[in-house]
Amino acid sequence: MDTNLLLNHLLTAVLVIDEKLQPTYVNAAAEQLLGLSAHKLQEQPLTENLHSLGIDPKVLKNAIAAQQGLTVNTAQLMVLDGQHHTVDLTLVPMEHEPTQPLCSLLELRQVDQQRRIHQQLSLDAQQQAAQFLVRNLAHEIKNPLGGLRGAAQLLSRELNDAHLQEFTTLIIEQADRLRNLVDRLLGPQRPSQHQVLNIHMVIQKVLNLISVTLPPHIRLRQDYDPSIPDLPMDEDQLQQAILNVVQNAIQALEQQESGEIMIRTRTAHQVTIGTQRHKLALQLSIIDNGPGIAPALVDTLFYPMVTGRKDGSGLGLSIAHNIARLHGGRIDCNSAPGHTEFTLTLPINLDQDN
């Protein structure tokens, strides 16, 4: 069996590096993790193609020189495009001839994916329980609201005094407002009819809408992968999900003198969503350089009515999460001061019928 073919089927990133940390071999998983081609990675030392490896490079160099093994658990890896990964790092010395340079096998196994899967399953269960509660509550609210609104309409017809009719109009308006709030809490509950569309077209419609009211100190940037194939989606729902996240980013940057929002699309291979593994997936990232999300909110960020703003409804991210779920995908958040990234992941089925 071809060893190179075998290594390229591994989910673990594998590199062979010398004493200068220069890669001499890179498998496909390492290309995916580091966001660079094997050719590019082999041009210079590994440290030049990363922001941070999560370990002092001198420690790696000394271990290779001494032909010693090394293991580091939960190292914080940050690649050039700003993405953070938690990896288990293993360095294993390789046998060599006396005339050959010293080399070691470096394995980088992502463990943030397992944590993300666990968080997603937990979040889905919590959200379904919350939606079940809200659905039952909505039923109890809508029935008396409908009666209240109907009674106000009948009373309005019987009143000849315009001043008194103002009060019945107020009752009707507030009843409608409460009904709309309950409907927003529920959000979309079942998959709708999907059409095969281009994700960049959907994003552009959102950006056209946002640009009308975008504060002048905030700049929008786009970094698209044009090779991403069209995929089935509910256009209105996905527009709403993207709009909700972009609006959150804008609000996070309102108090800064300047800010930037990056919209980025990429493909990812061998992605697990829930309990299903997909060969190919779309990753749509919305990144801002705002102050970040309060640590106390991170674990409950996608729950209904959870917000860090005084005037926030706490519904935008909950609805976005639900829309992602209805499309067979997920939405994740990675936040630190100066870098908050929401990533919408949707499976791509290349065998789908267009």
Side-chain angles (χ1 to χ4, degrees):
M1 180 180 288
D2 185 348
T3 305
N4 188 55
L5 180 65
L6 182 64
L7 288 171
N8 279 330
H9 275 77
L10 290 177
L11 299 180
T12 300
V14 176
L15 305 93
V16 176
I17 56 175
D18 61 21
E19 290 181 89
K20 296 179 181 179
L21 304 188
Q22 182 107 8
T24 59
Y25 172 80
V26 179
N27 75 341
E31 291 181 292
Q32 180 69 38
L33 176 64
L34 303 178
L36 294 170
S37 68
H39 177 73
K40 179 69 175 175
L41 287 166
Q42 290 171 352
E43 287 181 344
Q44 54 192 352
L46 185 60
T47 49
E48 298 297 320
N49 290 315
L50 292 169
H51 279 309
S52 171
L53 186 56
I55 180 176
D56 189 339
K58 291 181 181 179
V59 175
L60 279 180
K61 290 178 179 179
N62 292 338
I64 296 171
Q67 286 290 274
Q68 294 179 343
L70 180 68
T71 299
V72 179
N73 292 324
T74 63
Q76 298 303 310
L77 173 72
M78 183 176 177
V79 296
L80 289 181
D81 64 3
Q83 291 192 66
H84 294 255
H85 301 286
T86 304
V87 297
D88 284 347
L89 181 153
T90 305
L91 187 73
V92 180
M94 296 183 67
E95 293 184 5
H96 67 288
E97 297 294 332
T99 57
Q100 293 178 332
L102 297 174
C103 286
S104 292
L105 186 75
L106 177 66
E107 295 181 53
L108 301 172
R109 186 170 65 88
Q110 284 185 263
V111 294
D112 47 359
Q113 186 172 10
Q114 287 88 334
R115 188 174 69 248
R116 190 184 298 121
I117 292 169
H118 173 75
Q119 288 174 338
Q120 184 193 353
L121 293 174
S122 176
L123 176 60
D124 285 346
Q126 293 280 359
Q127 189 135 33
Q128 287 175 12
Q131 287 177 346
F132 178 76
L133 176 63
V134 169
R135 206 171 295 127
N136 289 335
L137 183 61
H139 179 74
E140 295 300 321
I141 291 174
K142 282 186 174 182
N143 284 342
L145 268 183
L148 185 66
R149 190 184 193 283
Q153 285 179 313
L154 291 174
L155 181 60
S156 179
R157 293 170 190 166
E158 298 295 324
L159 294 173
N160 295 320
D161 188 332
H163 178 66
L164 293 177
Q165 283 183 335
E166 290 181 8
F167 293 105
T168 57
T169 301
L170 179 63
I171 294 171
I172 294 169
E173 289 175 351
Q174 293 303 307
D176 288 341
R177 186 182 69 82
L178 286 173
R179 184 183 179 90
N180 289 336
L181 175 61
V182 170
D183 288 340
R184 287 183 64 206
L185 269 171
L186 289 171
Q189 293 305 304
R190 55 180 59 87
S192 57
Q193 189 67 35
H194 287 186
Q195 293 179 299
V196 177
L197 297 170
N198 184 279
I199 188 63
H200 301 123
M201 179 197 73
V202 177
I203 296 171
Q204 197 55 49
K205 287 185 178 181
V206 173
L207 297 185
N208 290 342
L209 181 64
I210 287 292
S211 62
V212 177
T213 57
L214 186 69
H217 71 283
I218 298 176
R219 185 164 69 107
L220 287 175
R221 289 180 56 207
Q222 293 127 284
D223 179 10
Y224 296 159
D225 178 355
S227 68
I228 294 173
D230 296 351
L231 61 156
M233 66 182 77
D234 181 307
E235 182 179 1
D236 290 340
Q237 286 186 2
L238 267 189
Q239 279 189 36
Q240 186 64 58
I242 297 167
L243 179 64
N244 289 355
V245 179
V246 173
Q247 284 180 328
N248 265 32
I250 292 172
Q251 289 162 354
L253 297 171
E254 282 179 344
Q255 303 304 318
Q256 294 190 179
E257 292 184 3
S258 63
E260 180 179 281
I261 299 173
M262 165 76 82
I263 315 292
R264 183 180 65 205
T265 59
R266 292 290 186 271
T267 54
H269 298 270
Q270 302 298 336
V271 174
T272 300
I273 302 175
T275 56
Q276 278 192 299
R277 185 172 239 0
H278 301 274
K279 291 182 180 179
L280 190 65
L282 158 73
Q283 289 190 329
L284 192 168
S285 299
I286 299 167
I287 308 162
D288 70 72
N289 61 347
I293 296 166
L297 294 178
V298 170
D299 291 337
T300 57
L301 197 57
F302 297 103
Y303 291 177
M305 309 303 286
V306 173
T307 179
R309 300 191 309 274
K310 293 181 180 179
D311 57 346
S313 66
L315 297 178
L317 292 179
S318 174
I319 291 172
H321 174 271
N322 197 36
I323 290 171
R325 183 180 60 82
L326 291 176
H327 282 74
R330 69 170 191 244
I331 186 166
D332 303 299
C333 176
N334 179 22
S335 183
H339 184 96
T340 296
E341 180 172 348
F342 284 89
T343 302
L344 173 64
T345 304
L346 299 176
I348 297 175
N349 181 10
L350 295 178
D351 299 324
Q352 68 197 10
D353 293 325
N354 292 329

